């Protein structure tokens, strides 16, 4: 088996002219880990990946593979494999030649190369396509060929740049599962770039959320989902997205008044313990995931008015007007017998409520 | 009345087409038929008793056969040089981020026609004289290459531009060197462009009279395009029998190259490949 590699980025900065694509990023990837880089378009994910691949050189900072400095090393000295968004299959070579290319440049002899190519192709169930040209393959088949080519020489590190984004929804799901299976089986350290939060949550052991070239949060998918470190991450992660409602907070004699636009809720102080003293003159953001808003039978914390009901197969998404704000409620119950404009009492799971400062976006609960 | 006008128009149109076709077809027909006549003249005559005697006369002449060899040396020499240098230069021009490279490109293309043009012949002649390349195949090949390179680079750069850089990057990550990448990826993908450039250069060199005529001195180095002027008798009257046979032979390589490359690669004037 290949040697398992850990990766460390220390204060990496990458500038293109006066554009700072990556702005002081540091993180560590443990050997064998599946690590995702998630963020909106232009946040520097691809640049970070290309720095790790050696296709770009960092302006500042160092990159270590197993404590060995590779910051200025050529791509070929790093023993990595990369799958590109457009797959980059060589159009003039057959599938077999494509898969065998990393072996060819390593001067592996013909017999062993042929054996390895067939072995790998079988693993990806594309051994019947070996004589075809990439232009004669479907999107899903091309993706498998790209994966096979990346894996054939057993790289130390596996890099992906949005490898699923060219596939249709069904195939994307299938390929995602396949990828996860292959990675878990081989245990190769993997870095996966995507702008699709569901993909990152599903695949990663740990992930980093990027914005404007900086890391906003680093952690396991569960940590990031449950405890988004700032209002950007809170908004970015989750589908349907988290309810984020502007509010003011007003502590009164052991109670906490939450002033939403058009409605006020008063709760005992100990239900919502904040790690910072609240300022009644400041704006805050009240965050709660749709699954933590519960439709109550009789008496709830607040009343809402049904705005829309959408059936999503396994669950129902109900949008309520609470005061002047829209609140999404996600429930597994299917036949609720609700009608539009109907008043419904709701309860909030205060354990799962997150409060952010509006100005800084920082989490204070 | 209206019908009459219509008929007259069609008639006129057809007569014009026939006339024009005949105008362009006549020299070609003359070229094909005349060498097989026993007594070739400047008139178009269908060979009723076809004969190869005129060709035999051409082949009996050492000078003419030698001229064909010279043509091949100069044409293939310039073609290979142009293809190799132009593809390397096109790769660099396409991939290297260089300020003002567009302008450099246009200036080169603009002035390149000067090199093989009449105006520059005197300085080019003296230049070759100084470096001792007058009356050599190399000299002729270099002058032709210099003249055609910029256009060739310009054409090929378009092909290289259309090759996605991710092919190279994926090869780079897979462990390939720059040279390997050029050989395995850039070269095969730009080949259709090289074929176009190659045929273009070959035909231009093959048919050029002026440059070899001026830059070569000894008759045993003259290419076919120049040699054809030797077919006159002592008082300067052209020998139609030899000229006609020789002309037909002269066109064969060009036609053959067109057919061969078109069959093998197909002419394509844009880059990129699918499948
Ligand atoms: N070669 C380059 N020259 C100049 N600017 C660049 C270059 N590559 C990237 N950038 C800039 O750096 C920033 C980050 O780009 P990057 O490609 O890393 O984003 P990304 O997160 O991968 O986005 P996407 O999801 O759209 O692929 C962008 O503003 C981009 O315009
Ligand atoms: Mg990207």
């Amino acid at each position: 088996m290949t040697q398992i590699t850990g990766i460390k980025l220390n204060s990496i900065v990458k500038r293109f002219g006066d554009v700072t694509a990556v702005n002081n990023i540091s993180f560590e990837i443990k050997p064998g880990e599946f690590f995702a880089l998630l963020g909106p378009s232009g946040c520097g994910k691809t640049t970070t990946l290309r720095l790790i691949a050696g296709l770009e050189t960092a302006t500042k900072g160092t990159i270590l593979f197993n404590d060995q400095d590779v910051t200025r090393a050529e791509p070929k000295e790093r023993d990595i494999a990369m799958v590109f968004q457009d797959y980059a299959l060589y159009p003039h070579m057959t599938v077999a030649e494509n898969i065998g290319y990393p072996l060819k440049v390593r001067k592996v002899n013909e017999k062993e190369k042929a054996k390895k190519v067939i072995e790998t192709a079988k693993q990806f169930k594309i051994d019947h396509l070996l004589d075809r040209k990439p232009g004669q393959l479907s999107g899903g088949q091309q993706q498998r060929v790209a994966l096979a080519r990346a894996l054939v020489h057993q790289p130390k590190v596996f890099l992906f740049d949005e490898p699923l984004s060219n596939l249709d929804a069904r195939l994307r799901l299938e390929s995602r599962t396949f990828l996860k299976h292959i990675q878990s089986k081989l245990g190769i350290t993997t870095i996966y770039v995507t702008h699709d939060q569901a993909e990152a949550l599903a695949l990663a052991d740990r992930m980093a959320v990027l914005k404007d070239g900086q890391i906003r949060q680093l952690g396991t998918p569960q940590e990031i989902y449950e405890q988004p470190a700032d209002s950007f991450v809170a908004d970015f992660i989750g589908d349907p997205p988290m309810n984020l409602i502007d509010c003011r907070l007003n502590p009164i004699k052991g109670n906490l008044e939450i002033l939403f636009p058009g409605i006020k809720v008063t709760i005992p102080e100990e239900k919502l313990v904040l790690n910072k003293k609240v300022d009644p003159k400041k704006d805050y953001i009240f965050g709660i995931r749709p699954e933590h808003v519960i439709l109550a039978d009789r008496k709830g914390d607040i009343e809402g008015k049904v705005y829309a009901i959408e059936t999503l197969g396994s669950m129902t998404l109900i949008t309520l007007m609470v005061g002047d704000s829209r609140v999404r409620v996600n429930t597994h119950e299917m036949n609720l017998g609700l009608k539009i404009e109907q008043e419904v009492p709701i309860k909030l799971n205060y354990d799962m409520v997150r409060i952010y400062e509006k100005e800084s976006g920082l989490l204070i609960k | 009345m209206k019908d009459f006008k219509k008929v007259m128009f069609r008639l006129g149109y057809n007569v014009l087409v026939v006339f024009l076709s005949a105008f362009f077809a006549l020299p070609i027909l003359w070229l094909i038929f005349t060498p097989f006549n026993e007594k070739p003249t400047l008139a178009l005559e269908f060979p009723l008793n076809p004969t190869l005697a005129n060709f035999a006369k051409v082949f009996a002449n050492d000078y003419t056969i030698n001229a064909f060899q010279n043509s091949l040396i100069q044409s293939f020499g310039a073609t290979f040089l142009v293809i190799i240098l132009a593809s390397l230069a096109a790769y660099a021009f396409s991939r290297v981020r260089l300020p003002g490279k567009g302008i450099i490109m246009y200036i080169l293309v603009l002035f390149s026609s000067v090199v093989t043009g009449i105006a520059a012949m005197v300085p080019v002649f003296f230049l070759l004289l100084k470096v001792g390349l007058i009356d050599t195949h190399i000299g002729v090949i270099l002058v032709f290459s210099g003249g055609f390179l910029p256009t060739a680079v310009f054409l090929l750069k378009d092909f290289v531009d259309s090759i996605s850089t991710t092919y190279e990057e994926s090869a780079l990550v897979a462990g390939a060197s720059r040279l390997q990448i050029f050989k395995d990826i850039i070269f095969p993908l730009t080949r259709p462009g090289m074929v176009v450039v190659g045929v273009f250069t070959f035909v231009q060199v093959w048919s050029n009279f002026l440059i070899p005529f001026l830059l070569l001195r000894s008759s045993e180095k003259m290419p076919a395009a120049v040699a054809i002027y030797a077919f006159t008798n002592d008082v300067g009257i052209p020998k139609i029998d030899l000229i006609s046979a020789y002309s037909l032979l002269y066109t064969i390589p060009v036609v053959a190259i067109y057919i061969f490359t078109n069959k093998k690669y197909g002419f394509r004037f844009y880059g990129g490949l699918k499948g």
Side-chain angles (χ1 to χ4, degrees):
Chain A
M1 223 16 251
T2 45
Q3 180 205 2
I4 302 176
T5 306
I7 299 170
K8 214 166 170 179
L9 273 72
N10 294 322
S11 319
I12 288 288
V13 176
K14 175 66 187 176
R15 290 199 195 95
F16 296 104
D18 44 11
V19 179
T20 305
V22 175
N23 192 359
N24 200 8
I25 278 185
S26 301
F27 58 80
E28 195 176 342
I29 302 167
K30 297 181 196 113
E33 195 167 47
F34 197 126
F35 189 86
L37 287 169
L38 173 68
S41 188
C43 70
K45 309 174 294 274
T46 298
T47 307
T48 309
L49 198 71
R50 291 167 59 86
L51 284 163
I52 296 169
L55 292 171
E56 306 278 0
T57 318
T59 313
K60 268 191 213 148
T62 51
I63 300 172
L64 305 179
F65 279 17
N66 279 349
D67 296 324
Q68 185 196 345
D69 191 336
V70 296
T71 317
R72 320 231 146 235
E74 289 286 315
K76 64 189 229 180
E77 298 164 49
R78 303 188 184 202
D79 204 2
I80 47 180
M82 185 158 171
V83 176
F84 293 79
Q85 183 172 352
D86 61 2
Y87 308 141
L89 297 176
Y90 313 128
H92 57 294
M93 298 186 194
T94 63
V95 167
E97 285 164 341
N98 262 288
I99 298 175
Y101 192 69
L103 301 177
K104 185 181 159 192
V105 300
R106 282 178 173 67
K107 310 237 157 33
V108 174
N109 71 51
E110 283 298 322
K111 229 174 101 190
E112 181 154 349
K113 190 174 91 185
K115 203 181 113 211
K116 276 248 176 78
V117 166
I118 289 173
E119 220 172 72
T120 315
K122 280 211 173 106
Q123 190 177 3
F124 288 87
K125 304 205 168 50
I126 45 173
D127 46 321
H128 58 296
L129 303 171
L130 285 174
D131 295 328
R132 292 213 207 156
K133 294 270 175 76
Q136 302 163 305
L137 302 179
S138 73
Q141 289 168 335
Q142 287 181 1
Q143 198 234 3
R144 280 172 185 243
V145 175
L147 283 176
R149 184 178 66 184
L151 270 175
V152 74
H153 68 283
Q154 307 191 326
K156 282 189 199 153
V157 178
F158 216 4
L159 306 175
F160 291 99
D161 193 356
E162 315 216 12
L164 306 183
S165 59
N166 285 349
L167 303 177
D168 61 53
R170 161 72 61 103
L171 203 55
R172 193 178 316 165
L173 210 62
E174 212 171 280
S175 299
R176 197 174 85 185
T177 311
F178 180 69
L179 241 163
K180 183 75 185 168
H181 168 76
I182 289 282
Q183 199 274 341
S184 314
K185 202 163 87 173
L186 300 175
I188 296 179
T189 311
T190 300
I191 306 174
Y192 187 98
V193 161
T194 177
H195 64 261
D196 180 346
Q197 52 88 29
E199 224 168 82
L201 291 175
L203 287 169
D205 297 323
R206 276 190 327 129
M207 59 196 267
V209 184
L210 268 65
K211 170 102 196 289
D212 300 332
Q214 287 178 315
I215 294 185
R216 289 303 188 87
Q217 191 170 7
L218 196 65
T220 64
Q222 195 188 355
E223 281 162 12
I224 288 176
Y225 185 82
E226 288 182 355
Q227 191 119 359
D230 62 30
S231 53
F232 164 75
V233 179
D235 192 33
F236 195 69
I237 302 278
D239 182 37
M242 197 171 197
N243 295 299
L244 294 167
I245 306 163
D246 287 350
C247 68
R248 288 254 171 128
L249 299 175
N250 198 10
I252 303 176
K253 289 179 266 152
N255 282 342
L256 186 70
E257 259 183 5
I258 310 172
L259 300 129
F260 294 113
I263 198 167
K264 182 172 83 178
V265 186
T266 309
I267 53 168
E269 216 171 38
E270 64 272 13
K271 260 195 156 172
L272 206 61
V273 181
L274 306 175
N275 56 24
K276 215 171 168 184
K277 196 165 156 22
V278 296
D279 179 347
K281 288 194 209 67
K282 261 193 171 170
D283 289 324
Y284 292 91
I285 298 170
F286 183 96
I288 186 161
R289 293 225 174 260
E291 60 270 29
H292 300 309
V293 184
I294 298 140
L295 298 175
D297 287 337
R298 255 166 271 120
K299 174 114 181 54
D301 299 327
I302 341 177
E303 294 259 304
K305 206 186 222 180
V306 177
Y307 175 81
I309 303 162
E310 293 159 82
T311 313
L312 306 178
S314 66
M315 40 179 84
T316 310
L317 180 65
I318 302 157
T319 309
L320 303 173
M321 290 304 294
V322 177
D324 299 334
S325 320
R326 273 183 213 161
V327 173
R328 285 175 291 266
V329 183
N330 212 351
T331 170
H332 285 283
E333 282 171 56
M334 297 306 289
N335 298 310
L336 293 153
L338 290 177
K339 280 199 219 53
I340 198 149
E341 305 279 283
Q342 184 182 338
E343 299 269 347
V344 283
I346 50 173
K347 280 197 152 141
L348 304 177
N349 181 355
Y350 279 98
D351 281 346
M352 302 309 279
V353 167
R354 303 289 166 236
I355 306 283
Y356 301 93
E357 289 180 335
K358 170 109 179 169
E359 211 179 288
S360 65
L362 280 182
L363 179 74
I364 57 170
K365 192 239 168 228
Chain B
M1 211 42 208
K2 212 172 155 206
D3 275 356
F4 178 70
K5 233 174 158 179
K6 223 173 173 178
V7 169
M8 282 314 282
F9 177 77
R10 284 211 68 87
L11 201 67
Y13 178 77
N14 282 324
V15 167
L16 188 71
V17 167
V18 168
F19 181 75
L20 280 179
S21 317
F23 186 75
F24 286 109
L26 271 176
I28 297 171
L29 289 177
W30 183 88
L31 183 68
I32 295 172
F33 290 145
T34 310
F36 299 99
N37 279 321
E38 264 172 78
K39 275 200 165 14
T41 62
L42 286 176
L44 173 62
E45 280 171 77
F46 187 77
L48 293 172
N49 299 312
T51 165
L52 292 176
N54 296 321
F55 293 98
K57 272 190 265 177
V58 168
F59 282 112
N61 186 334
D62 280 347
Y63 174 62
T64 57
I65 298 307
N66 193 22
F68 265 114
Q69 266 174 18
N70 294 335
S71 270
L72 288 176
I73 292 173
Q74 290 163 16
S75 302
F76 275 117
T79 303
F80 279 121
L81 201 62
V82 166
I83 287 182
I84 289 169
L85 294 182
S87 54
L88 289 168
Y91 181 47
F93 262 110
S94 168
R95 294 298 192 245
V96 175
R97 276 179 229 151
L98 190 74
K101 78 177 173 187
I103 299 198
I104 298 177
M105 196 83 220
Y106 279 107
I107 290 178
L108 278 178
V109 172
L110 212 61
F111 287 106
S112 66
S113 51
V114 174
V115 177
T116 50
I118 296 172
M121 270 311 115
V122 175
V124 165
F125 182 88
F126 279 114
L127 185 69
L128 288 202
L129 201 60
K130 276 259 156 61
V131 294
L133 287 176
I134 283 292
D135 199 22
T136 59
H137 288 309
I138 300 286
V140 173
I141 289 172
L142 285 178
V143 170
F144 275 123
S145 305
F148 296 132
L149 257 177
T151 317
V153 173
F154 185 76
L155 278 173
L156 283 179
K157 180 181 165 288
D158 244 21
F159 273 84
V160 182
D161 281 346
S162 70
I163 301 173
S164 159
T165 51
T166 53
Y167 294 143
E168 288 153 70
E169 289 177 345
S170 104
L172 214 54
V173 169
S177 66
R178 280 276 161 200
L179 203 64
Q180 276 172 321
I181 291 173
F182 188 81
K183 183 169 97 7
D184 294 338
I185 291 154
I186 302 297
F187 178 74
L189 290 181
T190 36
R191 201 164 52 196
M194 293 183 191
V195 169
V196 170
V197 165
V199 170
F200 169 78
T201 311
F202 185 88
V203 172
Q204 292 288 319
V205 177
W206 184 264
S207 60
N208 192 299
F209 166 77
L210 188 67
I211 290 179
F213 183 68
L214 292 179
L215 301 183
L216 297 173
R217 303 281 87 201
S218 36
S219 58
E220 68 269 17
K221 286 188 182 135
M222 291 293 177
V226 177
I228 208 163
Y229 285 84
F231 295 126
T232 51
N233 63 15
D234 299 338
V235 287
I237 298 177
K239 295 181 191 160
I240 304 291
D241 50 348
L242 282 177
I243 289 180
S244 64
Y246 197 69
S247 300
L248 188 60
L249 292 174
Y250 179 63
T251 57
I252 286 174
V254 172
V255 173
I257 281 228
Y258 266 117
I259 292 173
F260 170 75
T261 45
N262 197 25
K263 250 219 166 101
K264 190 121 193 256
Y265 307 108
F267 279 108
R268 307 221 347 262
F269 293 91
Y270 52 90
L273 278 186
K274 186 165 166 50

